[in-house]
């Protein structure tokens, strides 16, 4: 119902519909603001934090984890008890009375320097993978982002000449499931498959199979005698029989049970095509009839006839996953027409020679008779529009797609079948739907070697590293560029809509998203010992022991609020954690959390007055009123605790109370990386996320630094990633590859095995 409602709002474009969206956004913003304080109008309003990944501090120190295996067997390593961030030299104090404000970057800071500096990074050699070959048909699943959050769902299918069926991408959202990044051959099917349409396959004898059934492909016993399939959405399909009759099968019909309905009103059907938005049937007498899909606007209607201009007859029908362009038809005089879900027919001004036209949500793609592929629209996943939609009059050829015999489009990706039976892919790969690069690894996978990388950070999907005091970015194409050169950087983190950098002498460098602009430094009373992103600003620990919440943006500082500790800590503040919720850790192992906001004053209270905390490792929470699981902590005896944060609201939501609960797990670890626990044997364990992690650091390795990120969107793919830097300079990643953008250059779908 939510998906139906969203699509109705998107298509309606009226004031009432958009007011619904605005109301939802306001409610979400108020809820997230309550993470920081009471929703008191007298205190102003804070912008809610986004669902960006949360970067954890790097685990550093002198050989924090060493595994010697002279005989190939791990032995207990010598481990330094404290996995602390690198100690910061004595800070350079600013003149007393300096207020919080921005100043120009000092001359010793080279910001995105245009230089050919040697980074020392060498990418790991990737395994040679065999291309998917011998394919005769391609298809995409009708699984789409109906709620409108831009998560770019996608599933791809291929039918081989020998009857084998391959599938990759996302095909279910059950607990513990992971997208398939490479084509996987499906077992349990006969070798007589002659058609695949999304999650359904048809054998030569007319049997129909559900490919995404739990436990593997399953024959649908109610169906037989089919001559063609037309998937509607990911769980339903039309079945065309030899006598021209049509049935509709739904895996989750009334009462969530499978259902089979005889469809009337089409007549004797010769060709049927469907999507979530529209159904088109071409009858044996040449009549074109239209019916709605499960997400079409308006109430269900009986199939109704459609006529092309001048009474011209139809020779070809195409349906799509685009609610703006749900269908195209080709007339017998070789003119293309678009049909919307209301049945309006419009001539499509395309060049001659187009033999197939389909569409993603925002782009129309056409295949010419000469095997070239052309596109127009404004999808950033497929067309480089430079901010201006590409029109049919100026459609662009998709470079790298030649010798193509058919195309298939998902919501945000495109499959192209070559004349020699290979599959080329382009567009979004958020769920592995391109089938040509890994997006998840259950064991440590080498990224490359970077000698001298002292710290790792994950900043808004970017991998950054500190080497010899300079900050570098490791880009998705395995190239490295300097970000800040020279000022002895110790930390980088997302902040103020972009990111910030902390130096060893206590300066904070900030930048706007337009990275070509000059950087700035934040002037404070003294020097900054640690910094973190926080709601609507920053959390700063200063050299005098005070902690401040800074509200503002990259242009100005609006307000600075000093945090109040009740009781005062015995130790000195060592680390601050502001996102997603403020925590403070002292050098005496005292862990404080933001308990309340009283007349504009942020009150910090200890998590447990008796607990001596060595490491606090927060994770981004799932959005909920009660917040729930926040992260893990490690005490000085290496005992692992899980921490839950609970918020209670008054009926009018004007005030909230915050409490924390600790649960001793009974497990021990020598260090934490996000929610992952690493023990003395080098074993890495993580429980309670989408999938449990149980792997091991490479034998004989010594851990130098680590970084972890977690991402919980409102809807769609949740993911996490751990990065590890070893003493020998080898970098590894574990978990999900962070989404770095669409692949605009076509590449081959390949098999996972070497």
């Amino acid at each position: 119902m939510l998906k139906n409602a969203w699509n109705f709002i998107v298509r309606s474009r009226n004031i009432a519909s958009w007011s619904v969206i605005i109301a939802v956004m306001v409610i979400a913003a108020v809820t997230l603001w309550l993470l920081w304080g009471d929703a008191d109008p007298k205190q102003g309003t804070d912008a809610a934090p986004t669902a960006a990944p949360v970067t954890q501090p790097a685990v550093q120190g002198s050989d924090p984890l060493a595994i010697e295996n002279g005989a190939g067997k791990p032995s207990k390593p010598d481990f330094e008890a404290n996995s602390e961030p690198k100690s910061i030299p004595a800070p350079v104090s600013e003149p007393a009375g300096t207020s919080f404000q921005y100043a120009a970057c000092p001359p010793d800071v080279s910001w995105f320097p245009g230089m050919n500096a040697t980074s020392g990074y060498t990418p790991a050699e990737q395994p040679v993978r065999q291309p998917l070959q011998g394919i005769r048909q391609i298809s995409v699943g009708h699984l789409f982002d109906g709620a409108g959050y831009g998560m770019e769902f996608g599933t791809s299918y291929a039918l081989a000449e020998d009857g084998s069926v391959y599938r990759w991408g996302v095909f279910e959202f059950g607990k513990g499931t992971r997208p398939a990044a490479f084509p996987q051959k499906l077992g349990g099917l006969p070798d007589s498959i002659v058609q695949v349409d999304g999650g359904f396959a048809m054998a030569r004898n007319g049997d129909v199979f559900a490919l995404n059934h739990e436990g593997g492909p399953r024959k649908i016993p109610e169906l037989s005698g089919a001559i063609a399939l037309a998937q509607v959405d990911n769980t339903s399909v039309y079945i065309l029989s030899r006598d021209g009759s049509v049935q509709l099968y739904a895996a989750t019909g009334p009462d969530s049970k499978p259902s089979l309905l005889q469809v009337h009103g089409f007549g004797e059907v010769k060709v049927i095509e469907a999507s979530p938005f529209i159904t088109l049937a071409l009858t044996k007498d040449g009549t074109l009839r239209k019916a709605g899909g499960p997400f079409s606007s308006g109430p269900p209607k009986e199939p109704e006839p459609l006529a092309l201009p001048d009474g011209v007859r139809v020779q070809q029908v195409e349906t799509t996953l685009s609610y703006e362009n749900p269908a195209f038809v080709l007339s017998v005089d070789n003119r293309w027409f678009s049909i919307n879900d209301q049945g309006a027919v419009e001539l499509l001004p395309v060049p001659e020679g187009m033999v197939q036209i389909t569409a993603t949500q925002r782009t129309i793609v056409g295949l010419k008779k000469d095997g070239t592929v052309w596109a127009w629209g404004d999808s950033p996943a497929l067309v480089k529009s430079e901010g201006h939609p590409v029109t049919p009059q100026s459609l662009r050829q998709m470079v790298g797609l030649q010798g193509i015999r058919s195309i298939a489009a998902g919501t945000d990706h495109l499959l192209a079948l070559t004349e020699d039976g290979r599959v080329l892919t382009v567009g979004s790969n958020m769920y592995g739907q391109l089938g040509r690069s890994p997006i998840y690894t259950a064991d440590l996978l080498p990224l490359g070697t970077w000698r001298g990388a002292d710290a790792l950070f994950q900043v808004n999907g970017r991998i950054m590293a500190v080497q010899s005091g300079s900050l570098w970015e490791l880009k998705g194409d395995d190239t490295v560029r300097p970000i800040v050169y020279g000022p002895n950087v110790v930390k980088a983190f997302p902040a103020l809509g972009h990111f910030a950098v902390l130096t060893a002498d206590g300066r904070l460098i900030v930048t706007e998203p337009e990275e070509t602009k000059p950087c700035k430094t934040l002037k404070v009373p003294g020097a900054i010992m640690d910094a973190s992103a926080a709601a609507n600003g920053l959390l700063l620990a200063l050299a005098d022991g005070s902690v401040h919440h800074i509200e503002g943006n990259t242009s100005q500082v609006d307000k600075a609020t000093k945090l109040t500790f009740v009781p005062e800590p015995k130790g000195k503040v060592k680390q601050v954690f502001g996102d997603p919720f403020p925590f403070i850790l002292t050098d005496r192992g005292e862990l404080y959390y933001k308990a309340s906001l009283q007349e504009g004053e942020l009150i910090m209270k200890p998590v447990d007055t008796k607990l001596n905390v060595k490491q606090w490792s927060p994770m981004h929470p799932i959005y909920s009123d009660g917040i729930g699981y926040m992260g893990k902590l490690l005490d000085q005896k290496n005992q692992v605790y899980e921490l839950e944060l609970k918020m209670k609201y008054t009926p009018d939501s004007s005030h909230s109370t915050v409490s924390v609960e600790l649960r001793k797990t009974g497990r021990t670890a020598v260090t934490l990386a996000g929610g992952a626990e690493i023990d003395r044997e080098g074993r890495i364990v993580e429980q309670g996320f989408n999938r449990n992690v149980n792997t091991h650091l490479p034998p004989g390795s010594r851990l130098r630094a680590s970084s972890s990120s977690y991402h919980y969107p409102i809807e769609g793919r949740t993911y996490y990633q751990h990065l590890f830097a070893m003493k020998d300079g080898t970098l590894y990643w574990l978990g999900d590859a962070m989404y770095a953008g669409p692949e605009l250059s076509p590449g081959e779908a390949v098999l996972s095995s070497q």
Side-chain angles (χ1 to χ4, degrees):
M1 293 299 294
L2 175 61
K3 294 184 176 181
N4 284 330
W6 174 260
N7 280 279
F8 172 73
I9 291 170
V10 170
R11 286 190 295 272
S12 296
R13 295 184 176 89
N14 58 37
I15 295 174
S17 298
W18 284 109
S19 66
V20 174
I21 299 176
I22 294 170
V24 172
M25 294 175 66
V26 169
I27 292 170
V30 170
T31 300
L32 291 176
W33 177 67
L34 287 173
L35 291 175
W36 270 87
D38 300 336
D40 187 349
K42 297 179 182 179
Q43 304 299 334
T45 57
D46 291 342
T50 63
V54 177
T55 303
Q56 311 298 337
V59 177
Q60 300 180 41
S62 175
D63 299 342
L65 188 59
I67 301 177
E68 309 290 350
N69 75 331
K73 297 180 179 180
S75 59
K76 290 186 177 180
D78 294 329
F79 179 79
E80 287 195 2
N82 292 316
S83 297
E84 309 291 357
K86 183 188 297 182
S87 60
I88 298 177
V92 178
S93 297
E94 298 290 340
T98 303
S99 61
F100 296 91
Q101 59 183 317
Y102 287 124
C105 272
D108 66 316
V109 176
S110 297
W111 183 250
F112 283 99
M115 56 188 296
N116 295 320
T118 301
S119 67
Y121 176 76
T122 303
E125 185 176 350
Q126 297 302 313
V128 177
R129 304 182 189 274
Q130 296 298 318
L132 183 63
Q133 296 178 317
I135 303 302
R136 63 177 172 177
Q137 185 207 339
I138 53 176
S139 179
V140 296
H142 284 179
L143 176 69
F144 69 105
D145 181 21
Y149 292 112
M151 295 311 299
E152 302 179 12
F153 303 145
T155 319
S156 303
Y157 300 86
L159 174 62
E161 295 287 355
D162 63 2
S164 300
V165 177
Y166 293 84
R167 176 187 65 190
W168 61 101
V170 60
F171 50 90
E172 62 177 328
F173 292 99
K175 182 179 180 181
T177 60
R178 290 281 173 184
F182 299 100
Q184 297 178 348
K185 185 177 180 179
L186 297 180
L189 292 170
D191 57 8
S192 58
I193 299 297
V194 294
Q195 184 193 358
V196 170
D197 201 356
F200 302 91
M202 183 185 70
R204 186 174 293 108
N205 65 357
D207 289 342
V208 179
F209 295 81
L211 301 180
N212 299 328
H213 187 268
E214 184 178 354
R218 181 185 73 94
K219 182 181 178 298
I220 302 174
E222 301 91 338
L223 302 179
S224 61
I227 62 169
L229 303 178
Q231 65 167 323
V232 180
D233 57 19
N234 219 44
T235 61
S236 58
V237 61
Y238 286 109
I239 300 94
L240 178 61
S241 299
R242 195 172 302 278
D243 61 2
S245 62
V246 176
Q247 294 174 293
L248 176 61
Y249 171 80
T252 53
D255 301 323
S256 299
K257 296 180 180 179
S259 66
L260 183 64
L261 299 175
Q262 191 74 33
V263 180
H264 301 284
F266 281 127
E268 290 189 60
V269 176
K270 180 175 66 174
V271 175
I272 186 167
E273 295 289 340
S275 81
F277 308 107
I278 197 170
T279 299
L280 292 179
L282 184 61
T283 64
K284 293 181 179 179
D285 63 5
T287 302
L288 181 65
R289 294 184 182 274
K290 169 198 167 293
F295 298 113
S296 57
S297 60
K301 298 179 181 178
E302 289 293 321
E304 56 187 18
L306 287 181
L308 298 186
D310 306 322
V312 67
R313 297 171 70 87
V314 175
Q315 67 164 311
Q316 187 175 325
V317 179
E318 298 275 349
T319 56
T320 79
L321 283 179
S322 168
Y323 56 79
E324 293 183 343
N325 298 285
F328 302 99
V329 296
L330 177 64
S331 65
V332 294
D333 59 359
N334 294 319
R335 289 184 293 166
W336 280 97
F337 296 86
S338 65
I339 301 177
N340 67 18
D341 65 346
Q342 299 300 306
V345 179
E346 184 177 349
L347 179 66
L348 203 62
V350 296
E352 294 183 2
M354 288 287 183
V355 296
Q356 185 183 358
I357 294 181
T358 185
T360 65
Q361 288 194 72
R362 296 167 58 184
T363 298
I364 299 175
V365 185
L367 172 64
K368 280 190 175 183
K369 188 176 182 180
D370 62 4
T372 59
V373 179
W374 301 74
W376 62 99
D378 62 353
S379 169
L382 293 174
V383 179
K384 294 181 179 179
S385 60
E386 288 81 38
H388 301 284
V390 181
T391 65
Q393 291 76 18
S394 61
L395 74 171
R396 298 181 181 178
Q397 183 176 353
M398 299 187 70
V399 178
L401 294 179
Q402 294 91 24
I404 306 301
R405 64 177 175 180
S406 68
I407 56 177
T411 56
D412 298 275
H413 79 293
L414 180 74
L415 307 181
L417 179 61
T418 66
E419 292 288 353
D420 59 0
R422 296 173 296 116
V423 180
L424 300 179
T425 62
V426 64
S428 172
N429 196 41
M430 182 173 284
Y431 286 87
Q433 57 262 48
L434 299 189
R436 52 189 171 108
S437 59
I439 63 169
Y440 174 80
T441 175
D443 296 300
L444 270 67
L445 192 68
L447 276 174
T449 302
W450 203 342
R451 298 191 181 278
D454 297 320
L456 296 174
F457 305 100
Q458 298 183 61
V459 181
N460 299 330
R462 303 160 75 172
I463 297 175
M464 298 182 183
V466 174
Q467 184 202 44
S468 301
S470 296
L471 183 67
W472 301 76
E473 178 188 3
L474 174 59
K475 302 176 72 176
D477 59 0
D478 287 329
T479 61
V480 176
R481 65 168 178 167
I483 295 178
V484 183
Y485 200 77
N488 200 6
V489 173
V490 294
K491 185 177 184 179
F493 57 94
L496 304 170
H498 202 41
F499 69 91
V501 176
L502 180 64
T503 65
D505 59 1
R507 292 177 292 178
L508 190 72
I509 304 170
V510 300
T511 172
E512 297 185 36
E514 298 84 358
E515 294 175 350
T516 55
K517 293 184 177 181
C519 63
K520 301 175 183 178
T521 55
L522 181 65
K523 304 282 282 186
V524 300
I528 301 171
M529 304 301 293
D530 193 24
S532 169
N536 201 31
L538 301 164
L539 202 61
L540 305 179
L542 303 188
D544 63 3
S546 64
V547 181
H548 299 261
H549 176 217
I550 309 301
E551 297 179 62
N553 50 43
T554 55
S555 299
Q556 63 182 22
V557 175
D558 297 327
K559 183 171 66 173
T561 304
K562 184 179 178 180
L563 275 60
T564 300
F565 292 82
V566 181
E568 285 289 330
K570 297 177 181 179
K572 190 172 183 179
V573 173
K574 179 179 63 174
Q575 288 180 274
V576 296
F577 309 84
D579 188 9
F581 198 86
F583 283 82
I584 306 294
L585 182 63
T586 75
D587 58 5
R588 297 284 294 271
E590 301 156 295
L591 182 64
Y592 283 77
Y593 71 99
K594 195 225 78 172
S596 63
L597 180 69
Q598 299 178 8
E599 297 182 354
E601 193 174 18
L602 289 168
I603 308 300
M604 307 294 296
K605 292 186 178 181
V607 168
D608 187 321
T609 56
K610 298 180 181 179
L611 190 62
N612 191 353
V613 179
K614 180 169 71 174
Q615 186 181 359
W616 162 240
S617 190
M619 296 164 57
H620 200 296
I622 296 175
Y623 286 115
S624 65
D625 290 339
I627 305 303
Y629 177 54
M630 285 290 297
K632 296 180 179 179
L633 58 88
L634 202 62
D635 69 11
Q636 293 295 335
K637 296 180 180 180
N638 291 333
Q639 297 291 321
V640 178
Y641 295 76
E642 292 180 347
L643 184 146
E644 286 194 5
L645 184 145
K646 296 185 177 182
M647 299 186 70
K648 295 182 180 179
Y649 304 99
T650 57
D652 61 357
S653 297
S654 61
H655 295 80
S656 64
T657 59
V658 182
S659 62
V660 294
E661 290 186 5
L662 286 176
R663 186 180 72 84
K664 191 174 182 179
T665 64
R667 301 186 297 270
T668 61
V670 291
T671 191
L672 301 174
E677 307 162 21
I678 307 177
D679 65 16
R680 286 191 173 275
E681 306 297 335
R683 183 172 173 231
I684 305 172
V685 176
E686 182 163 15
Q687 300 175 337
F689 200 68
N690 287 359
R691 172 178 288 181
N692 292 341
V693 173
N694 192 343
T695 187
H696 208 281
L697 290 176
S701 63
R702 292 172 178 265
L703 181 62
R704 186 186 187 99
S706 71
S707 178
S708 300
S709 289
Y710 294 81
H711 186 50
Y712 298 83
I714 297 175
E715 181 173 298
R717 181 184 171 199
T718 61
Y719 52 82
Y720 69 97
Q721 179 177 247
H722 302 298
L723 296 178
F724 299 97
M726 302 302 163
K727 191 72 174 179
D728 64 1
T730 307
L731 301 186
Y732 294 92
W733 66 278
L734 173 67
D736 300 88
M738 293 303 181
Y739 177 60
E743 296 287 347
L744 295 175
S745 298
E748 285 190 77
V750 295
L751 300 174
S752 59
S753 59
Q754 299 185 21

